[in-house]
Amino acid sequence: MKRIFILSLLLIVLIPCLNAQKKEIAQARTLVKSGKNLGQAEKQMLRLLKDSANLHNEKVHLVLCEALRKQYEEGNMKMYLKQKTDTADLFQVARRMFVAYERLDSLDSTPDEKGRVKLKYRAKNSMFLNGYRKNLFNGGSFFLRKQQYQTAFDFFDLYLNTAIQPLFSDYHYPEDPSAASLAMYCGHKLMNSSMVLKYKDMALNDTLRLESNLQYLAETFKSLKDTVNYEHVLTRGFYSFSHSTYFFTYLVDFYNKVKRRDLALEVINYALEKDGNNELFLFAKGNLLLNMERYDECISVCDSIIAQNDTMADAYYTAGVAYVNMAFVLEKKVTNGNSKAKKEMIEMYKKSLPYMEKFRSLCPDEKDKWGAALYNIYFNLNMGKKFEEIDRLLR
């Protein structure tokens, strides 16, 4: 008896709710048929769908789709007649329309109690939407121009996603690397790694934007501390676009940081094969040779830079340091009473002198770089007045 009473209470509660839902659906359907207050009809159906109990109510989805379809067609007609139209709103209606129809299709393709799928709406709906699919791409481009990157990404994402939606299975859409690239760009601007990576494989087929796309990927993998993919992308970028200072600089820097200077030198030499007079490439080689303690080669490279540009300060500094470092190596032998080593050491300081003084004249504010070097040079060459001057500066 108690159980029957509880069931009776549930029926009393549910019946008014179901009646209210039916009434709301009927009101929305009336609005849709009249073509008035379509936005209100849409809101009513969306409100019903917030209740999980209505998610499988086919009537709600059908009214929602119809309300959106009529809104979109009405806006399209205004645009065709060159009447005042809110373009942004029209694109947003298109996006919501595609989402609504895809949800209806998902419901339509649900198997019945016997496991059978009887599609009632797919053919008609996919044919209708196919004619407007390109407007999802256009909507993404529209919001991208307005720098509304999240909204633009949502449009490109939906556009690309239609290619795998069962609703459009009869159309076999080809890849669209251009849309994938633009989606990646939106993710890059928002510094959202998942957005950048979502369509990366397709975006890398976009030959027009490949250089930029590889840069976005490199920055993303670097932020994720994914060194394997970071190196892979930089390598691909460098050998595909050897003129790019971006890939050259970051790849050489990466190999330096992981102590693979042999690979860094390979990259530099390849770059110089393409452009032997490039000052950036030459300086990178000189600096790398300095760190590899190949001082004679380093100086030779620096001299070639100075020969074509006698105002490149860092070339003087690098060559000067190379001579000073060779002097330091010889100085260790001098302590053992090797007079020959002492003469050679003095000679290295003499050779370093003009480079370091020239660097100082070009970069007087970089005392932290030329100060200690000139201190050692003046001291070992017994250059009294200059030594005293540098000694005062360094105090």
Side-chain angles (χ1 to χ4, degrees), residues 4-252:
I4 294 171
F5 177 69
I6 292 171
L7 288 171
S8 299
L9 282 176
L10 286 171
L11 288 170
I12 291 168
V13 171
L14 286 172
I15 288 170
C17 290
L18 290 171
N19 288 335
Q21 288 172 12
K22 287 180 180 179
K23 184 178 179 180
E24 196 161 2
I25 293 169
Q27 287 175 342
R29 187 183 285 120
T30 300
L31 291 174
V32 171
K33 285 182 178 179
S34 69
K36 297 177 181 178
N37 296 319
L38 295 168
Q40 182 183 333
E42 177 192 357
K43 288 177 183 177
Q44 285 179 295
M45 295 303 94
L46 288 173
R47 185 164 57 248
L48 288 178
L49 288 173
K50 286 181 180 179
D51 184 345
S52 59
N54 294 318
L55 291 177
H56 293 88
N57 189 326
E58 186 178 284
K59 292 179 181 178
V60 176
H61 289 280
L62 285 169
V63 174
L64 175 60
C65 288
E66 189 67 6
L68 286 162
R69 182 182 69 81
K70 285 200 170 184
Q71 284 184 70
Y72 186 70
E73 289 179 339
E74 185 181 283
N76 242 356
M77 182 57 69
K78 284 183 178 179
M79 185 171 284
Y80 176 75
L81 296 174
K82 297 184 179 179
Q83 296 175 358
K84 186 176 181 181
T85 310
D86 186 334
T87 307
D89 182 65
L90 182 59
F91 280 130
Q92 290 287 16
V93 171
R95 187 181 65 81
R96 297 199 302 273
M97 180 175 70
F98 270 79
V99 171
Y101 273 100
E102 286 176 2
R103 287 175 179 169
L104 173 62
D105 185 70
S106 179
L107 185 62
D108 189 32
S109 59
T110 303
D112 62 17
E113 64 276 3
K114 294 184 179 180
R116 297 170 300 184
V117 175
K118 296 181 180 180
L119 297 169
K120 294 179 287 184
Y121 309 110
R122 178 174 292 178
K124 178 183 176 182
N125 290 343
S126 63
M127 185 180 296
F128 163 69
L129 291 172
N130 179 61
Y132 297 111
R133 177 177 178 260
K134 191 65 178 180
N135 282 349
L136 293 176
F137 178 89
N138 295 335
S141 301
F142 174 83
F143 288 105
L144 182 59
R145 288 193 296 271
K146 291 184 173 295
Q147 299 181 4
Q148 296 180 28
Y149 300 115
Q150 181 62 61
T151 304
F153 178 86
D154 292 340
F155 273 85
F156 292 127
D157 187 34
L158 184 59
Y159 169 75
L160 291 164
N161 187 254
T162 56
I164 60 171
Q165 283 293 325
L167 175 58
F168 301 99
S169 57
D170 287 341
Y171 290 90
H172 308 292
Y173 297 126
E175 281 192 350
D176 191 336
S178 177
S181 289
L182 296 175
M184 177 183 281
Y185 176 72
C186 292
H188 168 71
K189 295 299 288 187
L190 293 168
M191 294 185 288
N192 186 312
S193 57
S194 62
M195 288 165 63
V196 170
L197 298 175
K198 186 167 186 178
Y199 296 107
K200 71 176 180 67
D201 292 335
M202 195 186 305
L204 292 178
N205 291 325
D206 184 357
T207 55
L208 292 176
R209 299 183 180 90
L210 180 58
E211 184 175 353
S212 297
N213 290 343
L214 288 170
Q215 287 189 33
Y216 304 149
L217 281 175
E219 290 170 23
T220 298
F221 287 130
K222 185 177 183 180
S223 71
L224 294 173
K225 295 182 171 54
D226 184 344
T227 55
V228 173
N229 278 310
Y230 180 60
E231 178 189 1
H232 173 74
V233 170
L234 287 178
T235 302
R236 178 175 174 179
F238 171 70
Y239 286 104
S240 299
F241 305 97
S242 56
H243 64 276
S244 169
T245 58
Y246 176 90
F247 296 112
F248 173 83
T249 302
Y250 283 100
L251 188 56
V252 170

Side-chain angles (χ1 to χ4, degrees), residues 318-356:
T318 302
V321 169
Y323 278 121
V324 168
N325 285 354
M326 286 193 284
F328 286 160
V329 172
L330 291 163
E331 190 171 4
K332 293 176 183 178
K333 298 178 181 179
V334 172
T335 55
N336 296 326
N338 189 326
S339 59
K340 181 180 177 183
K342 184 173 183 179
K343 288 181 181 179
E344 291 176 350
M345 179 194 75
I346 296 298
E347 187 62 26
M348 293 303 105
Y349 280 123
K350 285 181 179 179
K351 289 182 176 180
S352 178
L353 177 62
Y355 290 98
M356 277 301 172

Side-chain angles (χ1 to χ4, degrees), residues 251-393:
L251 188 56
V252 170
D253 183 60
F254 173 77
Y255 284 137
N256 269 318
K257 286 180 178 177
V258 298
K259 309 298 183 186
R260 292 302 311 272
R261 289 172 178 157
D262 55 330
L263 293 178
L265 190 58
E266 282 184 24
V267 169
I268 293 169
N269 285 336
Y270 181 86
L272 286 169
E273 285 177 15
K274 301 293 182 180
D275 185 0
N277 294 320
N278 187 294
E279 290 180 8
L280 172 64
F281 301 161
L282 286 168
F283 178 70
K285 184 170 185 176
N287 195 56
L288 180 64
L289 291 169
L290 177 68
N291 292 330
M292 295 174 78
E293 299 181 4
R294 291 164 62 171
Y295 300 125
D296 288 329
E297 294 173 74
C298 166
I299 293 163
S300 176
V301 171
C302 290
D303 284 342
S304 68
I305 296 172
I306 293 167
Q308 66 183 44
N309 181 3
D310 61 4
T311 61
M312 188 173 178
D314 285 330
Y316 291 99
Y317 178 75
T318 302
V321 169
Y323 278 121
V324 168
N325 285 354
M326 286 193 284
F328 286 160
V329 172
L330 291 163
E331 190 171 4
K332 293 176 183 178
K333 298 178 181 179
V334 172
T335 55
N336 296 326
N338 189 326
S339 59
K340 181 180 177 183
K342 184 173 183 179
K343 288 181 181 179
E344 291 176 350
M345 179 194 75
I346 296 298
E347 187 62 26
M348 293 303 105
Y349 280 123
K350 285 181 179 179
K351 289 182 176 180
S352 178
L353 177 62
Y355 290 98
M356 277 301 172
E357 288 189 330
K358 180 65 175 181
F359 175 72
R360 179 184 179 181
S361 69
L362 292 170
C363 303
D365 296 330
E366 296 191 37
K367 185 173 66 175
D368 58 323
K369 293 180 75 171
W370 50 256
L374 285 174
Y375 181 94
N376 279 290
I377 292 169
Y378 293 151
F379 176 79
N380 282 282
L381 296 181
N382 294 317
M383 300 176 72
K385 290 183 179 180
K386 290 193 173 185
F387 175 77
E388 290 172 6
E389 181 254 347
I390 204 79
D391 185 46
R392 285 194 300 271
L393 282 175

